[in-house]
Amino acid sequence: MKVLLVRPRPHKETIGLQHVMICEPLELEYLVSNIPDFIKKSIDIKIVDMILEKIPYESVLLNEKPDFILFTGYITHVGIIKKLAEQAKGLLPEISTGVGGVHAEVVPEDFKCRYIDFVFDRNGIDGFNEALKALLEGKSKSDIRKMLKDSGPKKYSFSYKHPAREAVSQYRKHYYYMFHKPCALIKTSFGCPYNCQFCFCREITDGKYFARAVEDVINELEAIKEEEIYIVDDDFLYDADRVVAFIAAIRERNIKKRFLVYGRADFIVENEGLLKEFKDCGLQAVIVGIESIRSKDLDDYRKGTTKQINEKCIEILKSMDIELYATLIIPLDFSKKDFKELTAWLKALEVRFVNLQPLTPLPGTDIFDMYLPELLIRREDYHLWDMAHIALKPKHMSISEFYLQLLTSYYKVIMRPKHMAALIKKYGIRANIKMLIGSSFVSWQYLQKIWRGK
């Protein structure tokens, strides 16, 4: 049986970070590595990354002629995945189609259509293997759907084989994140222990958090060829004792890697000494959800931090030469004065990288129903739910003006001559030109929004 695992290319209207980062499809690599041997003997499986693949999708289908095709994606991919499934059914009428991934687990009803046979809404790896086994046994699609529906509750543990990174060997040199290239991903924990109101991540595990054993993580890390490692935990800097054990294991095994992680500002402030040790062992950058400089916003988001904590965090990272990738959520009651104050604050603290996201009540989160009557984006326009399009009506300005303020603030923070000179010195001219080209694509998308007013 021929099986294709497909990561789709984003919609052209989606404003995404794919212009400045393309990361490996870790979830598909896990599927490949965890197929039982008795099934593996009877199938031919291949990952196709359509973000990087040069062969058109239709040609891939006709060349490979798969019996089963599985897609993965986020909310922005829902419409695209439905279209790809329809194309597959049109070219290969007997094909079986399925979809998995985080959106399928949290909002599976979005994928219900006649072109998608199976939606893996929980325990994706186990469900995928059960579907493979059933297809090999010749069971009907309706029987397989019933089996998946009756497969039991969602599991809140993770004891699987390490991802099959060799399954994307033809793409690996192209995977990167900003200045981290080539870059590999590793996931050491699942879920998030915090309760931020806007966050989609915690919905994937129903608010539960669990972490892999450090020894198992180190064994996987040791086998990764890339030097640049992006730890994609929702929050790696959570348990100080676990970070201490991680650092000790890296030193004991003499592992030389450069790390990019997610972390909270309050953890960084409370564990400055630990961050220094981590820096000595390869920590290069931290993505921090600063979210806002207004106390009211931080309280509304249930963030649990303050402006003062954020400022201290930024100072600590700067003093250690640990790159900060700051993310902020911009509420729709922001005025021009608020944008001006935020920009001045970021410049004063010499923040070099910032992602300004309009407040987006994603389907599946706590705040979606709260904002439902105010939505500007249609629920079925999946490609616009990218946390960059304006989903709610601005209170003090037009939509065009709000986009303009976002873009202007971004450029005032990022494109300062002093800032650019420091980046060229640190990363070199070639890497900066690549980032400039990528950010220009995003800017062009915003300019189109400004002109069109939507």
Side-chain angles (χ1 to χ4, degrees):
M1 184 170 68
K2 189 67 173 284
V3 181
L4 282 190
L5 307 179
V6 175
R7 176 166 72 171
R9 182 189 296 271
H11 192 283
K12 64 180 180 180
E13 286 288 318
T14 299
I15 301 174
L17 295 178
Q18 69 270 12
H19 299 300
V20 293
M21 57 170 277
I22 302 174
C23 296
E24 63 185 304
L26 196 65
E27 68 275 28
L28 298 183
E29 296 169 12
Y30 267 114
L31 290 182
V32 173
S33 65
N34 285 278
I35 298 171
D37 289 340
F38 76 92
I39 294 178
K40 196 173 291 185
K41 293 175 183 177
S42 301
I43 67 170
D44 178 6
I45 191 164
K46 181 178 182 179
I47 294 177
V48 180
D49 189 341
M50 292 308 302
I51 296 177
L52 296 170
E53 185 58 57
K54 296 180 180 179
I55 300 174
Y57 174 69
E58 293 85 351
S59 298
V60 170
L61 289 174
L62 293 173
N63 291 342
E64 301 290 341
K65 292 184 172 60
D67 301 289
F68 180 29
I69 186 166
L70 179 84
F71 305 97
T72 183
Y74 302 100
I75 185 172
T76 50
H77 299 102
V78 173
I80 291 172
I81 288 173
K82 288 178 178 179
K83 182 178 179 181
L84 295 179
E86 181 181 1
Q87 288 177 287
K89 293 280 190 180
L91 291 171
L92 305 167
E94 299 302 314
I95 194 172
S96 296
T97 59
V99 62
V102 295
H103 193 73
E105 292 201 10
V106 178
V107 197
E109 59 270 20
D110 277 357
F111 288 105
K112 288 183 179 178
C113 75
R114 62 193 181 100
Y115 302 110
I116 296 177
D117 297 313
F118 316 124
V119 179
F120 297 94
D121 61 356
R122 61 190 182 281
N123 309 330
I125 292 175
D126 299 333
F128 176 68
N129 288 332
E130 288 298 316
L132 289 179
K133 180 175 178 290
L135 287 169
L136 287 170
E137 292 171 350
K139 292 184 178 178
S140 69
K141 292 172 184 176
S142 59
D143 284 345
I144 296 174
R145 281 192 289 271
K146 185 177 185 304
M147 176 195 70
L148 292 173
K149 184 178 180 181
D150 299 337
S151 63
K154 182 183 287 190
K155 292 167 59 176
Y156 297 106
S157 62
F158 196 89
S159 54
Y160 295 106
K161 295 178 181 178
H162 299 160
R165 301 177 191 277
E166 69 280 0
V168 289
S169 57
Q170 71 272 37
Y171 306 121
R172 291 205 70 81
K173 66 180 180 180
H174 300 293
Y175 293 133
Y176 73 104
Y177 186 102
M178 301 287 283
F179 293 102
H180 309 267
K181 182 179 181 181
C183 184
L185 306 187
I186 187 170
K187 193 162 182 65
T188 83
S189 67
F190 299 84
C192 183
Y194 297 97
N195 193 34
C196 299
Q197 189 182 40
F198 56 83
C199 187
F200 186 83
C201 299
R202 64 184 299 275
E203 307 299 336
I204 301 167
T205 58
D206 299 326
K208 296 178 175 60
Y209 172 82
F210 49 97
R212 293 169 54 192
V214 170
E215 183 179 1
D216 184 49
V217 172
I218 295 297
N219 289 339
E220 180 181 350
L221 189 62
E222 211 166 31
I224 297 175
K225 295 178 181 179
E226 287 85 354
E227 182 182 356
E228 299 283 349
I229 305 295
Y230 179 10
I231 301 179
V232 292
D233 299 21
D234 299 327
D235 187 355
F236 183 72
L237 302 180
Y238 166 63
D239 182 341
D241 291 338
R242 187 168 184 265
V243 177
V244 167
F246 180 80
I247 293 170
I250 289 173
R251 286 173 171 164
E252 182 180 346
R253 299 208 197 176
N254 196 32
I255 293 174
K256 304 297 182 183
K257 302 289 187 183
R258 295 159 57 88
F259 298 100
L260 161 67
V261 306
Y262 284 94
R264 282 175 57 96
D266 48 3
F267 182 96
I268 291 167
V269 169
E270 294 165 7
N271 295 275
E272 185 173 354
L274 183 55
L275 261 289
K276 187 178 187 310
E277 287 191 52
F278 199 177
K279 164 69 177 178
D280 294 340
C281 291
L283 179 62
Q284 297 296 309
V286 184
I287 303 170
V288 180
I290 299 297
E291 314 310 3
S292 183
I293 61 171
R294 303 193 313 189
S295 298
K296 178 184 180 300
D297 297 337
L298 294 172
D299 291 341
D300 288 346
Y301 299 157
R302 298 202 297 254
K303 184 65 184 180
T305 56
T306 64
K307 179 181 177 182
Q308 291 71 34
I309 289 173
N310 287 333
E311 288 174 346
K312 182 63 176 175
C313 164
I314 294 169
E315 291 171 3
I316 289 171
L317 294 177
K318 181 183 173 184
S319 71
M320 296 183 191
D321 193 27
I322 297 173
E323 204 71 81
L324 164 68
Y325 298 130
T327 65
L328 289 102
I329 298 172
I330 310 300
L332 279 298
D333 67 347
F334 243 47
S335 64
K336 290 183 181 180
K337 181 174 179 290
D338 290 318
F339 274 108
K340 185 176 180 179
E341 289 177 354
L342 173 61
T343 303
W345 184 79
L346 291 167
K347 289 174 67 175
L349 290 169
E350 297 188 351
V351 173
R352 300 201 295 197
F353 296 100
V354 64
N355 186 16
L356 304 176
Q357 299 177 336
L359 176 63
T360 305
L362 284 174
T365 62
D366 289 348
I367 63 173
F368 179 71
D369 289 336
M370 183 192 312
Y371 287 102
L372 190 56
E374 305 173 43
L375 291 178
L376 297 178
I377 299 175
R378 294 190 308 163
R379 179 69 177 78
E380 62 270 24
D381 287 338
Y382 302 105
H383 58 286
L384 302 181
W385 289 92
D386 51 19
M387 295 188 293
H389 278 82
I390 294 173
L392 301 166
K393 183 174 175 55
K395 186 175 180 180
H396 300 294
M397 62 190 82
S398 68
I399 294 173
S400 290
E401 183 63 30
F402 202 91
Y403 277 125
L404 179 60
Q405 291 295 324
L406 283 170
L407 189 60
T408 301
S409 294
Y410 174 81
Y411 268 89
K412 284 183 177 179
V413 172
I414 300 298
M415 296 299 180
R416 289 166 288 163
K418 178 182 177 182
H419 175 190
M420 297 305 298
L423 290 180
I424 290 171
K425 182 178 180 181
K426 186 172 184 178
Y427 298 110
I429 293 177
R430 173 183 260 178
N432 276 275
I433 289 174
K434 181 177 176 62
M435 285 299 102
L436 182 61
I437 292 171
S439 62
S440 296
F441 278 112
V442 178
S443 298
W444 173 244
Q445 289 179 297
Y446 270 110
L447 286 172
Q448 290 177 305
K449 298 297 175 187
I450 293 167
W451 290 329
R452 287 185 288 188
K454 61 179 183 178

